[in-house]
Amino acid sequence: MSLLEIHGLTASVGDKPILRGINLTVNAGETHAAMGPNGSGKSTLAQVLAGNPAYEVTGGSITYKGQDLLEMDPEVRAQAGIFLAFQYPVEIPGVSNAYFLRAAYNEVRKARGEGEVDPLEFADIMEEKLALVDMDPGMLQRSVNTGFSGGEKKRNEILQLAVLEPSLAILDETDSGLDIDALRTVADGVNKLRDRNRSFVVVTHYQRLLNYIVPDFVHVLAGGRIVKSGGKELALALEEKGYDWLTEGEPVGVNA
Amino acid sequence: MTAEATIERVVTAATPFEDAFRALIEGDGAQAPAHIQSLRSAAFEAFRRLGFPTTKNEDWHFTSVAPIAEHDYLHITTQSGDVQRSALAPFLFGRSEWHTLVFVNGRYAPELSNTSGLPKGVTLLDLRRAWQEAPQLTEPLGRLTRHDDRAFSALNTAFMHDGAVLHVDRDVEVDMPIHLLFVTDAVAAKSMMHPRNLIVVGRHAKATVIESYVSLSDAVYFTNAVTEVSVAEGATLHHYKMQREGMRAFHVGTIEARQARDSHYISFSLSTGGSLTRTNIYTTLAGEGCGATLNGLYMLDGEQHCDHQTLIAHVQPNCFSRELYKGVLDGQSHGVFNGKVYVDPIAQKTDGKQTNNTLLLSDKAQIDTKPQLEIFADDVKCTHGATVGRLDEQALFYMKSRGVSRALARELLTYAFAADVLETIEQPSVREELERMTLRRFMTVADDR
């Protein structure tokens, strides 16, 4: 059984169809890259997997660990091991990062039938996780993402990924807005978290990220469909030739 | 004909209070000093003339006091109720050692109060003892506030009979908060209370006063409090008002402060109780170099109606004021915020900032917010603003995508909304208690959904 199976998935925002029939299978331990021009639907795919209510699924199916994912609320998906690293992490003034992370960690543990951890135990866990993403412990006392730089926000996403230890991590344009040093740090963190039981879907506009997070498969989206799939060398071809050679005759934008 | 009709209407409105007033001045109230007796009579005259305000009165535009006016109330003039010390524990911020005057159903309860260990230079008395033992301390009564155009203040002044008198001598810093705790029990049903407090903080002195209005019952009663405050030159007063009345109570509370030069007045108003409540907080920055901070939080549910009116009067140059009021409204509750910052023509270099933010948790909750600046000086820095919003759906989704349940996400976001105004509370025990109250309140709400 595959970890994730997507068949004929269509989704829209308001009246606007964005995904027009996505088929994708992800097995345990695989890293898939989803690339494509703006408006191709790659970020929508990420949001739909996490259950963002702003997107309406209009057809098709998603099976995760043999269960109907579309029937699950976002928090249930997270508790079942799905994690989305946001392109634009949300600022939550007034809620400390430490409190939020521990609340999330305990909710996920509860769902797995494990006991909650107290603040002291959690501090020990955090020490190791912070080192993984090279983050200053002071960040834990600040409000979630509030006043964080772009790099700090993305690092905070990877920290959450490290804490929640998902089975399927979706990185939505984690490279956007990062300089090369920040990109390396974030990618290093992700690479340390790769193992044969954890799968990744890496959504990106640029091939550059894939130099650091090397995928097993690359999919090119255009007009809400996967128009080409291949190995990591496909990403290099895209970097050289752009998207046009793949998308001719395909509707590129969502309104096409 | 018209004139007669008008007079008749006003007399009718005041009639229920006539008997109670007569009983007071002819009975127990006759012990008051002469100046208080004449003040009472003038105030009752004013109330007769004013009657209860209607929504045509600009200051009462969003709040109809008809529910208050349509009841008859008993005026309790003797000690009553059956309140044990242990029943007060939830209202003491975990600090039973604080200097506390307890009033039960409007009457001072010495057996529940604790005035031991007050520092030298601090006088804390109930009003009736003050005008027997230290009448000179009660002289400012009626001079720091006015009642000639305010019906509720007039009514309070007419019925003033009990309350707290606090006098802090110059240069005295009182470290421990002084708690004035007004509690009602079931005996308060259908009665009215008119607590009258006087707080005088001397030159370069410092004090923290908490005024709490709480209930052990869900009776219908009417609290109509007035607190007069004088903050002398260079003095500092932290003044907390905790309105946690019973859920069917009516509450009108007015605090009016007058600040001398270089003084600081820091006020926080919490409102969570009552069915119909109105809190007025007024301060006049009457000398140069003053600072005033007026913050508050109201959390409403059901059909509660809660109105805050504030006035910060800058009448001298080089003063600053900060105001932040936040509201969390659920159910069909109705909040009102009416805040005015007045800047006199001579009050140059005034630095004022006023903000009102409201979070609506339900479609039926309603807020009327009216921040106002009246600026007559030309070299000032004043801003004001108001926002009304709902819980941020993006933030809710973000939290849920980390496995946090909808209920907990909602609770955390609501708490977070209130957190920054709670953080301004300097007294740690008060701050922690209010943080706990806020969390508790929204945990319950969240679980209901």
Side-chain angles (χ1 to χ4, degrees):
Chain A
M1 183 182 69
S2 301
L3 180 71
L4 180 77
E5 286 179 38
I6 305 175
H7 288 295
L9 182 70
T10 60
S12 48
V13 174
D15 294 336
K16 205 154 90 181
I18 304 208
L19 298 184
R20 295 161 178 265
I22 298 277
N23 297 299
L24 178 66
T25 299
V26 177
N27 293 304
E30 292 176 352
T31 294
H32 292 243
M35 303 183 69
N38 290 333
S40 61
K42 58 190 191 297
S43 276
T44 299
L45 176 62
Q47 296 288 328
V48 165
L49 285 172
N52 189 335
Y55 298 85
E56 192 196 348
V57 173
T58 50
S61 69
I62 308 177
T63 310
Y64 170 76
K65 292 184 178 173
Q67 287 181 288
D68 181 358
L69 189 73
L70 296 174
E71 286 297 306
M72 295 155 79
D73 285 333
E75 60 269 38
V76 178
R77 297 183 194 199
Q79 290 159 6
I82 289 187
F83 180 90
L84 170 67
F86 280 53
Q87 182 178 4
Y88 303 110
V90 180
E91 298 190 0
I92 311 176
V95 177
S96 85
N97 222 4
Y99 189 95
F100 174 55
L101 272 171
R102 189 165 65 86
Y105 184 68
N106 278 332
E107 296 261 76
V108 168
R109 283 181 66 92
K110 256 193 294 183
R112 292 175 186 163
E114 298 164 10
E116 297 189 24
V117 299
D118 66 29
L120 283 176
E121 294 171 282
F122 190 64
D124 288 343
I125 296 166
M126 288 313 294
E127 204 174 322
E128 173 206 340
K129 307 292 183 186
L130 283 164
L132 203 67
V133 286
D134 190 21
M135 220 164 113
D136 174 8
M139 304 286 284
L140 291 178
Q141 302 316 317
R142 291 168 60 185
S143 291
V144 178
N145 294 325
T146 308
F148 286 23
S149 71
E152 286 171 338
K153 281 183 182 170
K154 296 298 172 73
R155 218 178 287 187
N156 202 28
E157 294 291 286
I158 304 307
L159 175 69
Q160 294 179 31
L161 196 168
V163 170
L164 298 179
E165 300 183 319
S167 308
L168 173 64
I170 305 142
L171 311 184
D172 187 6
E173 306 211 24
T174 292
D175 51 338
S176 70
L178 293 189
D179 64 33
I180 186 68
D181 294 325
L183 179 73
R184 269 197 206 107
T185 311
V186 165
D188 280 351
V190 170
N191 284 331
K192 287 177 196 155
L193 293 164
R194 287 175 74 172
D195 71 34
R196 59 194 180 82
N197 292 317
R198 181 168 298 134
S199 309
F200 285 83
V201 173
V202 181
V203 172
T204 180
H205 190 74
Y206 304 105
Q207 180 267 339
R208 187 178 68 167
L209 178 67
L210 306 180
N211 289 338
Y212 299 97
I213 304 174
V214 180
D216 302 307
F217 303 95
V218 174
H219 310 280
V220 180
L221 274 79
R225 291 189 188 92
I226 293 178
V227 294
K228 192 163 181 67
S229 295
K232 64 189 177 207
E233 65 289 344
L234 176 57
L236 292 168
L238 287 169
E239 185 69 7
E240 248 171 62
K241 299 199 255 179
Y243 289 109
D244 291 350
W245 62 286
L246 287 172
T247 56
E248 271 163 35
E250 284 287 340
V252 173
V254 288
N255 290 322
Chain B
M1 275 314 277
T2 320
E4 268 177 35
T6 308
I7 287 162
E8 194 178 295
R9 186 185 58 76
V10 172
V11 171
T12 308
T15 298
F17 298 96
E18 299 275 355
D19 295 342
F21 183 67
R22 190 149 303 119
L24 176 71
I25 58 172
E26 288 168 4
D28 218 14
Q31 300 161 8
H35 77 276
I36 298 295
Q37 303 208 31
S38 54
L39 189 61
R40 276 192 192 134
S41 299
F44 196 67
E45 220 27 71
F47 178 72
R48 275 200 191 108
R49 173 170 49 79
L50 294 166
F52 283 109
T54 68
T55 51
K56 286 181 192 150
N57 180 328
E58 197 193 341
D59 287 342
W60 293 88
H61 185 62
F62 300 109
T63 297
S64 165
V65 300
I68 297 177
E70 72 195 13
H71 282 76
D72 290 341
Y73 304 97
L74 301 165
H75 188 225
I76 304 176
T77 53
T78 54
Q79 279 207 4
S80 70
D82 180 22
V83 175
Q84 303 302 314
R85 189 179 290 271
S86 57
L88 300 179
F91 310 115
L92 299 180
F93 305 94
R95 306 297 294 269
S96 55
E97 74 275 20
W98 286 353
H99 316 297
T100 307
L101 290 193
V102 177
F103 299 81
V104 176
N105 301 328
R107 289 291 159 258
Y108 178 53
E111 70 284 2
L112 297 172
S113 299
N114 169 22
T115 55
S116 62
L118 274 170
K120 195 169 174 292
V122 180
T123 311
L124 177 63
L125 297 168
D126 62 283
L127 185 56
R128 291 190 301 169
R129 193 165 151 209
W131 60 43
Q132 281 158 16
E133 294 180 11
Q136 74 286 356
L137 295 186
T138 66
E139 271 166 27
L141 276 172
R143 296 189 188 157
L144 297 164
T145 189
R146 61 171 207 271
H147 58 253
D148 49 343
D149 62 345
R150 297 176 186 157
F152 287 98
S153 291
L155 202 58
N156 171 282
T157 305
F159 284 94
M160 82 161 80
H161 185 57
D162 217 337
V165 174
L166 171 66
H167 193 278
V168 183
D169 283 355
R170 56 184 296 168
D171 299 316
V172 174
E173 294 188 21
V174 196
D175 294 329
M176 209 185 264
I178 292 159
H179 192 185
L180 313 178
L181 176 56
F182 295 87
V183 58
T184 59
D185 70 1
V187 175
K190 297 180 182 169
S191 70
M192 60 180 178
M193 281 136 283
H194 301 277
R196 181 69 167 229
N197 306 307
L198 174 64
I199 299 168
V200 175
V201 187
R203 187 171 186 271
H204 291 157
K206 186 180 172 193
T208 298
V209 174
I210 302 160
E211 240 181 281
S212 289
Y213 297 89
V214 306
S215 186
L216 301 171
S217 87
D218 64 349
V220 177
Y221 60 88
F222 172 35
T223 301
N224 177 35
V226 172
T227 300
E228 294 178 79
V229 177
S230 167
V231 193
E233 190 177 332
T236 300
L237 177 65
H238 289 265
H239 192 177
Y240 301 98
K241 184 189 174 200
M242 306 284 122
Q243 187 279 102
R244 300 161 71 181
E245 300 273 24
M247 293 312 253
R248 291 163 70 204
F250 305 123
H251 175 101
V252 178
T254 298
I255 292 173
E256 179 144 24
R258 189 165 180 87
Q259 299 181 240
R261 68 173 295 165
D262 299 316
S263 67
H264 290 266
Y265 179 66
I266 301 102
S267 153
F268 189 96
S269 171
L270 174 86
S271 280
T272 59
S275 65
L276 169 54
T277 68
R278 164 71 169 249
T279 293
N280 301 313
I281 297 183
Y282 308 131
T283 188
T284 300
L285 294 84
E288 286 198 46
C290 291
T293 303
L294 268 56
N295 292 340
L297 174 66
Y298 40 97
M299 299 187 285
L300 313 175
D301 201 352
E303 295 183 357
Q304 285 183 291
H305 179 107
C306 171
D307 181 346
H308 269 90
Q309 186 173 81
T310 66
L311 169 66
I312 299 172
H314 286 270
V315 300
Q316 290 292 328
N318 295 308
C319 295
F320 84 90
S321 61
R322 291 288 178 272
E323 181 167 23
L324 173 62
Y325 268 80
K326 291 210 162 189
V328 181
L329 276 54
D330 207 342
Q332 303 172 56
S333 63
H334 185 181
V336 179
F337 174 79
N338 189 344
K340 189 186 286 183
V341 177
Y342 167 83
V343 182
D344 191 88
I346 69 159
Q348 300 294 5
K349 304 287 181 191
T350 290
D351 174 358
K353 185 170 186 222
Q354 182 192 47
T355 310
N356 175 229
N357 304 129
T358 303
L359 176 64
L360 299 176
L361 292 178
S362 94
D363 292 339
K364 289 181 177 158
Q366 186 190 340
I367 176 77
D368 288 294
T369 177
K370 194 176 167 192
Q372 306 175 68
L373 294 177
E374 285 185 6
I375 301 176
F376 298 98
D378 54 16
D379 182 13
V380 302
K381 191 170 77 185
C382 287
T383 61
H384 69 159
T387 63
V388 179
R390 295 179 187 282
L391 284 182
D392 180 352
E393 284 298 326
Q394 268 297 102
L396 276 176
F397 172 61
Y398 184 71
M399 297 177 100
K400 290 200 287 184
S401 78
R402 268 65 183 135
V404 175
S405 67
R406 179 174 171 81
L408 181 59
R410 212 179 116 93
E411 173 198 319
L412 283 174
L413 288 178
T414 305
Y415 177 76
F417 171 82
D420 64 342
V421 74
L422 293 173
E423 278 164 14
T424 67
I425 297 175
E426 279 193 31
Q427 215 302 314
S429 299
V430 175
R431 183 178 60 241
E432 285 158 21
E433 176 63 23
L434 263 56
E435 285 173 348
R436 271 195 299 274
M437 277 175 65
T438 308
L439 264 178
R440 259 206 312 271
R441 183 163 180 118
F442 294 106
M443 266 192 246
T444 325
V445 169
D447 287 345
D448 288 343
R449 271 142 223 273

